Amino acid sequence: MDHSEVPQDNSHTYGGHRKLLYATDRDGNYVGVPSTGWEAEEIATGSALDLLAQQQQVAWQRAQRGETSPLEYYMAYRRMDEALLAQTSGIWRWRIRRHFRPAIYRRLNDTVLARYSEALGIDITTLKTLVQNP
Amino acid sequence: MNDFTHQQSAHCESGVMSAMLTHQGLPLSEPMAFGLASALGFALIPFVKLSGLPLIAYRMPPRAIINGLQKTLGVHMRRQTFRNAAKGMAALDAELDRGRVVGLQTSVFWLPYFPEGMRFHFNAHNLLVYGRDGDDYLISDPVFEQPVRCDRAALQKARFAKGALAAKGLMYLADRVPDSIDHARLVPAAIQRNLRTMTGAPLPFIGIRGIRHMGAQLRKLERDRAKREQYLPLYLGHIVRMQEEIGTGGAGFRFIYGAFLRESAKVLVSDELKEAARLMTDAGDHWRLFALRASKMCKGREAMDTAVLEEILHGCADREAAVWERLQAWSRSQRQ
């Protein structure tokens, strides 16, 4: 890629940052050129982010309606899935799924909640209830 | 505090090693660090899944550059992981108080200075810590233009995040650094090693064969009625994400390697290497073409046509094969 062709597409996923790319100058030497983003990357990253946002939204609505516990929302909020939450909290997946049932989640003791709190980086008091807005 | 200077890089691990060794008296560019560690690769690993999709890597696995440079350059690296986070932080503080520059492996997600759109659960990020200021650590993150800061609690969380590729607080330092690099000996050997990864693997999903394999797989997915509608676009998006975003990108790595070949051509005065660098750039450009078309197809901005994508991937494979053929002839001639 010629250094004049390094994309500068101002991707919103970069949050105003620039990434370095190596490109060639007129003599074929490589130079580092900062890039503000690239359309192709933004499409791919953007759709991954959209999916995460959508999961978060759905989890919040379901928790609001009492169909799942706040835990599922906070998991989505931290961009995790069940497998990752299981790994980070050390709690089996089937137990996590059980804790998605509001009645069971409400009765959880602080020892279990502390493990979720540590894994998600959210304090126990917050974990117990659903936030007002997703 | 030491007189460390921050430098931005294309890739985190090669960037950290380049900055660390340069700071300690062995000037080493990022492309040279990447090339000497023989870090270029390709792998499509069907049985390692990331949110249900196969792992695709365009370079050697994490820590390959640190380990590779230790071996080829004879750098004495000291590395430590910790079961106890508090001990891990104390050990970091002790080294910083001694004025050392320390490399860390961390999660991306828990680093507060990353913009929201880049924060995914990826545990094999690398950065350098060069000092402390109150509760803040002074960090040279190679992906960023400027040095950044991170508070203690967040850095601890990032170092000790669990999950795939967990860092377990890994910290590494270069204790003894050679004072020069013997390019005439090391460059051909590094190229030979990389050649084996790209052309000599006995598995169909590694190296140049792996690139062709990915093309064939896309064709198969389009023929599969159950997977055509949902899975295929998702998978294409995934390939591009693995290529362009997670750890700088498939094309990006080809460009870093091209820069390594070009720098070697200069040091060793070789027209052969110069030509190989040009061809590698061409391969990188072809990968970018793939990313562009694939991303448009996965968004529906262009009609899905995996035959086109397969052809582009074969083009990438052909171009890379041509580079390695040349490099094989060159490195053989150097060894006699």
Side-chain angles (χ1 to χ4, degrees), chain B residues 26-44:
Chain B
L26 182 71
L28 181 72
S29 71
E30 183 195 11
M32 195 47 85
F34 189 85
L36 288 179
S38 313
L40 197 69
F42 181 86
L44 166 69

Side-chain angles (χ1 to χ4, degrees), chain A residues 1-2 5-7 12-24 27-30 34 38-41 43-52 77-81 84 87-90 117-121, chain B residues 8-10 30-31 51 109-110 113 115-121 143-145 157 162-164 234 237 240-241 244-245 248 252 254-256 258-259 262 266 274 277 280-281 285 288-289 291-292 295-296 298-299 301:
Chain A
M1 183 172 42
D2 190 79
E5 288 165 7
V6 170
H12 73 269
T13 52
Y14 279 29
H17 289 277
R18 295 193 294 175
K19 286 190 192 173
L20 192 79
L21 265 173
Y22 289 96
T24 47
D27 306 316
N29 288 311
Y30 272 90
W38 187 34
E39 183 195 355
E41 182 192 340
I43 291 176
T45 311
S47 55
L49 288 170
D50 288 348
L51 189 67
L52 289 170
Y77 171 72
R78 286 306 196 197
R79 297 183 174 176
M80 291 189 186
D81 55 16
L84 186 59
Q87 275 180 315
T88 51
S89 63
S117 162
E118 170 67 24
L120 296 166
Chain B
Q8 192 184 15
S9 334
E30 183 195 11
S51 30
F109 184 83
W110 297 104
Y113 58 81
E116 202 52 24
M118 292 189 198
R119 288 175 70 182
F120 293 95
H121 289 282
V143 178
F144 287 78
E145 288 180 273
K157 195 129 187 71
K162 290 178 191 143
L234 206 66
V240 178
R241 266 191 75 205
E244 289 308 323
E245 171 214 313
T248 354
R254 270 68 199 160
F255 295 143
I256 300 177
R262 182 75 192 198
K266 205 174 232 171
K274 214 171 172 180
M280 188 56 95
T281 311
D285 286 337
R288 287 182 75 85
L289 176 68
L292 197 62
S295 65
K296 284 187 176 159
C298 89
K299 254 290 198 223
R301 290 187 196 166

Side-chain angles (χ1 to χ4, degrees), chain B residues 92 126 241:
Chain B
L92 171 64
N126 286 275
R241 266 191 75 205

Side-chain angles (χ1 to χ4, degrees), chain B residues 173-234:
Chain B
L173 300 100
D175 274 343
R176 203 138 41 87
V177 174
D179 43 22
S180 66
I181 299 172
D182 181 1
H183 290 92
R185 187 173 62 85
L186 295 182
V187 170
I191 288 176
Q192 279 280 348
R193 266 195 311 279
N194 219 139
L195 176 77
R196 278 199 290 276
T197 332
M198 289 307 293
T199 63
L203 297 164
F205 40 83
I206 294 194
I208 290 167
R209 277 172 79 197
I211 301 172
R212 298 189 200 280
H213 179 70
M214 189 158 84
Q217 199 187 38
L218 291 178
R219 291 300 298 276
K220 221 162 59 192
L221 286 174
E222 194 177 12
R223 281 196 296 268
D224 186 338
R225 227 176 271 162
K227 297 203 162 153
R228 192 165 46 199
E229 300 297 324
Q230 294 276 320
Y231 184 81
L232 180 60
L234 206 66

Side-chain angles (χ1 to χ4, degrees), chain B residues 132-179:
Chain B
R132 259 201 304 168
D133 180 16
D135 192 47
D136 275 354
Y137 287 88
L138 307 177
I139 290 174
S140 163
D141 190 315
V143 178
F144 287 78
E145 288 180 273
Q146 304 294 335
V148 287
R149 280 165 174 259
C150 178
D151 65 87
R152 187 183 185 84
L155 187 64
Q156 175 169 330
K157 195 129 187 71
R159 289 180 71 193
F160 290 91
K162 290 178 191 143
L165 299 171
K168 300 191 178 77
L170 175 70
M171 96 180 190
Y172 49 95
L173 300 100
D175 274 343
R176 203 138 41 87
V177 174
D179 43 22

